Amino acid sequence: MTRPIKSIVVLTGAGISAESGINTFRASDGLWENHSIDDVATPEGFARNPQLVHHFYNRRRQQLLNPSVQPNPAHMALARLEREFPGNVLLVTQNVDNLHERAGSQNLIHMHGELMKMRCECTQLIFASSIELSFDNLCRCCQEPGNLRPHIVWFGEMPLQMHEITQALESCDLFLSIGTSGNVYPAANFYHSAKSHGAQTVELNLEHTHSDFDEHIYGAASSIVPAYVEGLLRSA
Ligand code: APR
């Protein structure tokens, strides 16, 4: 017997932003926008060539700021779920874009960091970053060049706010996974943590991802997510 739904955790991945014009990661032979992941998404890559890494994230930031890139109906539906569901909704995203917050989501964790922020490697202070970053930028705290890095969790680094996420997964009644391939840990294991603590688990994705969810709904996020949220709110 399924228990009443009082608390929901939603995990999103690149698939939810695909229809807003942001490329997913694993569609192109392990390359991310024509770069190897080792070069642009690891601390070692940054140590080897910080200018290349800054240039790469400057381009991603410019792409996000293009007026054609806007939240789509799936982002809007999740913001509506948070506003209208008579219980707790936590949104955990692997995406570094800001489309969830632009759609109105507030109870949101960016577990892989945020494109529109930078961090000082020395003090760990985080700053808004709308500017082009380069190795020569001085950070506002130490006033030294070379200390600023994109506020992005790279491969081999610990995702953010894991304690809070773990607690929410272990106490939620419903876990939704939207637009993620389930290739990257620890996010790929979230459905398992939720399920082993008694939550219902549902995957909404373009295609099957080999994870053992209780329910799978296939299709484009911009149509299946609003429809699913509508049903959830009607039965709440
Ligand atoms: N609607 C729903 N799902 C979609 C859509 C769409 N319009 N378009 C693509 N998808 C699905 C794909 O079928 C795929 O299963 O979204 C998933 C995207 O998978 P990935 O590109 O692997 O992205 P993600 O799972 O978010 O990657 C996780 O890996 O590179 C790192 O840190 C990076 O956060 C990222 C993490």
Side-chain angles (χ1 to χ4, degrees):
M1 208 170 81
T2 53
R3 60 195 194 203
I5 298 169
K6 295 185 187 143
S7 171
I8 304 173
V9 175
V10 185
L11 172 70
T12 62
I16 197 167
S17 294
E19 291 162 87
S20 294
I22 297 181
N23 288 342
T24 58
F25 300 98
R26 286 175 184 77
S28 48
D29 302 335
L31 296 182
W32 185 11
E33 303 278 356
N34 299 321
H35 287 276
S36 102
I37 299 269
D38 277 350
D39 286 342
V40 296
T42 64
E44 294 78 18
F46 186 56
R48 264 196 315 271
N49 192 343
Q51 293 295 24
L52 170 80
V53 176
H54 279 308
H55 177 69
F56 177 79
Y57 288 97
N58 287 339
R59 294 280 305 280
R60 306 280 73 74
R61 218 172 281 123
Q62 274 166 12
Q63 180 188 41
L64 182 59
L65 292 173
N66 187 309
S68 68
V69 174
Q70 296 292 335
N72 68 52
H75 298 104
M76 306 303 272
L78 293 181
R80 177 182 173 214
L81 181 67
E82 184 188 327
R83 268 193 321 273
E84 297 181 19
F85 184 71
N88 195 50
V89 179
L90 173 67
L91 177 53
V92 180
T93 187
Q94 299 168 88
N95 299 343
V96 297
D97 67 53
N98 57 7
L99 296 175
H100 281 306
E101 46 273 54
R102 281 162 60 186
S105 288
Q106 293 183 350
N107 198 17
L108 169 67
I109 293 177
H110 275 281
M111 64 177 289
H112 290 168
E114 293 173 70
L115 203 45
M116 299 310 293
K117 291 186 178 167
M118 56 188 164
R119 187 170 82 230
C120 170
E121 293 216 273
C122 195
T123 63
Q124 302 304 319
L125 287 175
I126 297 164
F127 306 101
S129 158
S130 51
I131 55 163
E132 297 262 306
L133 271 179
S134 88
F135 184 78
D136 306 320
N137 286 123
L138 303 182
C139 62
R140 281 182 232 155
C141 41
C142 350
Q143 297 291 317
E144 294 282 344
N147 284 352
L148 286 175
R149 61 165 275 180
H151 184 46
I152 302 285
V153 175
W154 288 321
F155 286 93
E157 298 183 320
M158 181 62 88
L160 308 174
Q161 294 180 256
M162 279 307 296
H163 181 65
E164 215 175 320
I165 295 172
T166 305
Q167 282 190 326
L169 288 170
E170 293 181 355
S171 60
C172 71
D173 308 300
L174 175 64
F175 174 75
L176 306 178
S177 172
I178 302 174
T180 174
S181 60
N183 273 307
V184 172
Y185 288 82
N189 223 18
F190 286 177
Y191 85 98
H192 191 257
S193 306
K195 194 171 180 161
S196 63
H197 286 81
Q200 254 178 274
T201 57
V202 183
E203 172 179 63
L204 297 100
N205 205 50
L206 201 54
E207 59 197 3
H208 186 66
T209 62
H210 306 292
S211 300
D212 182 22
F213 288 86
D214 298 319
E215 188 182 349
H216 300 267
I217 299 170
Y218 301 120
S222 68
S223 31
I224 59 176
V225 176
Y228 186 83
V229 165
E230 179 68 36
L232 204 53
L233 289 174
R234 219 179 296 132
S235 60

